[in-house]
Amino acid sequence: MQKPIVAVVGRPNVGKSTLFNKVAGSRISIVEDTPGVTRDRIFADCEWLGHKFTMIDTGGIEPFSKDIILSQMRRQAQIAIDMADVILLLVDGREGMTAADLEVANMIRKTSTPIILVVNKIETKELDRNSFEFYNLGLGDPISISAEQGLGIGDLLDKVVESFERSEVDFEEDERLKIAVLGKPNAGKSTLVNRLLGEDRVIVSNVPGTTRDAIDSSFKYYGEEYVLIDTAGLRRKNKIYDEIERYSILRAVTAVERADVCLILIDAEYGITEQDAKIAGIAHNRGKASIIVVNKWDKIEKDNHTTKSFEKDIRETLSFMSYAPILYISALEGQRVNKIMETVLQVASEHAKRITTGMLNDVISEAILLNQPPADKGRRLKIYYATQASVKPPTFILFVNNKELIHFSYIRYLENQVRNSFGFIGTPIIFLVREKT
Ligand code: GDP
Ligand code: GDP
């Protein structure tokens, strides 16, 4: 199931980043972090009472600069409207209501997205009276918190989770396979989306997302319906987003969250870059199936070594994603675009594949015989057995005598053996280690 997205918006200095760090840092566990963007904390994977969600700090996207605060706030509110399932509007209970608060409230009020009004910096009962004036924003009952001291955070998160429950129908009913098209600005995402939707495929509908205003398109392929999540669609409405890399990262996060399979578009003209690696890292860390699609292949002067040298660069830069197939296409001219759906179906089925415990343990036992786990100070790791706990992505549990004895490199070895036997092309696989007493 896809994780809902919670966006925090508000003026500078109301305490957005304090709240964000509080929620992401202590009360709830950070499930994973994406390489490269961790430091900036623009988003975090959170969990409260068994509900997983992704939290976005819109204030972290671009630092507020004094003279253009209002336009930046509008942009951040727009991001929240485009992407979030729940919006938290944070205001400062010590300063009281300001014109800027009203401005943001007026912007977000127009959406159908649930909004929770949060009054921060309320450390005492007396101060709590300050929250009443925020009823004037017309967003319902304010919740008082102190982000700094961690007061009221539990109640707030309860309310957040309640809002998910109200919209949960939207998350669960859709069984169609979802494909996200990712890549740097100008990699050719819209061109590819148009290609995939065009020609012999029937566009069933072009509905705005049910839970947010992202533009999803569905189409039929051999009688089955699929959904394309077009991350470029948002850009067309808000051209300015593109100039800031963090916007494209955020856009990728929210699209990946909802997707089963990610198409990672690389612009052949530029070769593979650090930004491509960040985007691919998001898909990998979220356990999605991925295909690396090198686009604009028509623009490249080719000789016998061209494909090999491209592949080498990609494998080096995306070393964490060695499982992903690579396609070389021209979205503009249509070359090999027909390979895409074929490959999507293949990796989607690998992503959902189950291996019987018997077959899995045959492979693991043989792997152990072939290459014994190293002993550490006389103690030897024993692997009793393994089982596949879940799919999407395939997740295996290894039962061992002592967790501390298992080394990352040995898990990597087992992963390779499992892949040699079962493939799992296009999908990450995860090993969890449990002690069995
Ligand atoms: P942002 O610009 O909205 O991200 O705001 P920050 O999180 O950077 O906080 C701005 C200032 O408000 C900092 O000096 C914080 O220490 C302070 N602050 C944040 N939360 C609280 C709170 O709950 N109570 C009080 N008294 N101060 C707070
Ligand atoms: P997006 O920003 O990722 O959505 O990229 P667009 O689809 O808007 O494409 C950016 C530019 O690259 C446009 O001028 C496209 O015509 C061009 N383009 C896209 N795909 C190809 C391709 O396969 N070959 C060539 N030569 N140009 C392409």
Side-chain angles (χ1 to χ4, degrees):
M1 203 179 90
Q2 69 189 67
K3 281 188 279 177
I5 289 163
V6 178
V8 185
V9 299
R11 310 184 279 118
N13 283 318
V14 294
K16 292 183 299 300
S17 61
T18 308
L19 174 65
F20 186 79
N21 286 327
K22 198 79 181 177
V23 172
S26 61
R27 287 276 188 139
I28 51 177
S29 61
I30 299 174
V31 180
E32 74 201 35
D33 271 316
T34 297
V37 283
T38 319
R39 262 170 309 134
D40 305 327
R41 286 282 171 119
I42 46 172
F43 67 93
D45 295 294
C46 305
E47 191 171 342
W48 178 251
L49 303 175
H51 291 263
K52 291 187 171 151
F53 59 95
T54 299
M55 194 158 172
I56 299 175
D57 174 12
T58 64
I61 301 171
E62 41 179 336
F64 283 106
S65 52
K66 258 206 172 109
D67 40 340
I68 49 169
I69 285 178
L70 213 56
S71 64
Q72 287 181 326
M73 283 180 64
R74 281 196 203 106
R75 219 138 75 204
Q76 296 180 8
Q78 189 61 48
I79 287 269
I81 291 167
D82 285 342
M83 296 178 174
D85 298 291
V86 178
I87 300 173
L88 302 188
L89 172 58
L90 199 63
V91 295
D92 187 327
R94 288 181 185 243
E95 257 190 52
M97 201 172 103
T98 68
D101 293 333
L102 192 59
E103 168 104 9
V104 180
N106 284 340
M107 264 194 84
I108 57 180
R109 188 200 323 282
K110 294 177 203 125
T111 66
S112 54
T113 312
I115 299 163
I116 302 175
L117 172 61
V118 186
V119 185
N120 188 33
K121 310 195 184 179
I122 302 291
E123 273 94 34
T124 63
K125 273 238 155 53
E126 290 72 52
L127 280 168
D128 199 23
R129 269 181 240 130
N130 294 4
S131 70
F132 298 148
E133 70 170 308
F134 291 101
Y135 274 100
N136 290 318
L137 292 177
L139 295 173
D141 296 337
I143 294 197
S144 302
I145 65 161
S146 164
E148 206 159 70
Q149 298 193 10
L151 304 171
I153 307 286
D155 290 345
L156 170 60
L157 292 176
D158 284 347
K159 192 112 190 239
V160 167
V161 164
E162 250 172 60
S163 314
F164 300 153
E165 279 161 0
R166 265 183 275 133
S167 54
E168 208 128 66
V169 201
D170 293 342
F171 295 118
E172 280 175 356
E173 271 180 358
D174 194 351
E175 292 284 299
R176 301 168 300 177
L177 190 82
K178 292 182 207 63
I179 306 157
V181 182
L182 309 175
K184 289 187 302 204
N186 280 318
K189 296 181 293 298
S190 337
T191 310
L192 179 62
V193 165
N194 289 337
R195 262 291 157 187
L196 287 170
L197 295 176
E199 291 169 15
D200 51 330
R201 271 158 219 146
V202 184
I203 302 172
V204 177
S205 61
N206 220 326
V207 287
T210 39
T211 55
R212 61 180 73 75
D213 302 330
I215 298 150
D216 292 352
S217 311
S218 59
F219 65 95
K220 280 200 169 166
Y221 178 74
Y222 288 103
E224 279 288 318
E225 206 176 302
Y226 300 89
V227 177
L228 268 182
I229 301 171
D230 177 5
T231 56
L234 291 170
R235 176 179 55 103
R236 277 192 290 274
K237 281 193 288 179
N238 307 286
K239 194 86 189 160
I240 194 151
Y241 289 0
D242 251 9
E243 288 149 30
I244 299 158
E245 188 195 325
R246 289 168 168 207
Y247 284 121
S248 44
I249 296 281
L250 266 189
R251 208 161 46 227
V253 170
T254 52
V256 167
E257 204 61 87
R258 300 191 296 133
D260 300 293
V261 177
C262 299
L263 303 180
I264 296 156
L265 250 67
I266 312 290
D267 188 335
E269 244 194 319
Y270 290 93
I272 185 136
T273 65
E274 206 42 48
Q275 197 180 349
D276 296 321
K278 275 189 194 173
I279 292 171
I282 292 167
H284 173 78
N285 284 336
R286 266 136 224 272
K288 306 297 179 165
S290 287
I291 302 168
I292 298 163
V293 180
V294 181
N295 188 34
K296 308 196 187 178
W297 200 235
D298 58 288
K299 277 199 168 176
I300 300 296
E301 290 265 355
K302 288 174 270 290
D303 61 31
N304 289 341
H305 309 288
T306 313
T307 313
K308 263 222 164 75
S309 94
F310 256 88
E311 168 151 8
K312 184 168 167 283
D313 284 352
I314 290 170
R315 292 302 180 205
E316 259 170 36
T317 309
L318 305 184
S319 57
F320 53 88
M321 200 177 251
S322 53
Y323 50 79
I326 305 178
L327 298 176
Y328 299 86
I329 69 155
S330 166
L332 194 67
E333 295 181 356
Q335 266 170 314
R336 278 179 300 279
V337 169
N338 63 345
K339 286 270 171 230
I340 289 181
M341 278 311 289
E342 220 173 90
T343 315
V344 163
L345 294 188
Q346 185 195 7
V347 301
S349 110
E350 297 281 291
H351 193 224
K353 187 160 80 179
R354 255 182 210 287
I355 304 298
T356 65
T357 303
M359 282 184 358
L360 179 66
N361 283 286
D362 287 348
V363 170
I364 298 278
S365 314
E366 199 173 316
I368 295 170
L369 277 180
L370 221 66
N371 179 5
Q372 289 276 330
D376 181 14
K377 299 186 197 87
R379 295 182 305 170
R380 188 175 288 283
L381 172 74
K382 282 202 195 79
I383 298 173
Y384 299 113
Y385 68 101
T387 185
Q388 185 173 356
S390 59
V391 296
K392 297 187 184 181
T395 303
F396 303 94
I397 302 182
L398 287 174
F399 290 92
V400 303
N401 59 334
N402 185 338
K403 263 164 91 156
E404 280 162 23
L405 296 177
I406 195 155
H407 195 264
F408 172 75
S409 61
Y410 200 73
I411 292 187
R412 184 45 68 80
Y413 162 71
L414 292 178
E415 173 174 343
N416 286 335
Q417 297 301 106
V418 166
R419 283 190 185 279
N420 286 342
S421 301
F422 304 113
F424 288 117
I425 291 156
T427 175
I429 62 179
I430 295 172
F431 282 91
L432 303 174
V433 183
R434 295 276 149 76
E435 278 177 19
K436 187 176 165 289
T437 42

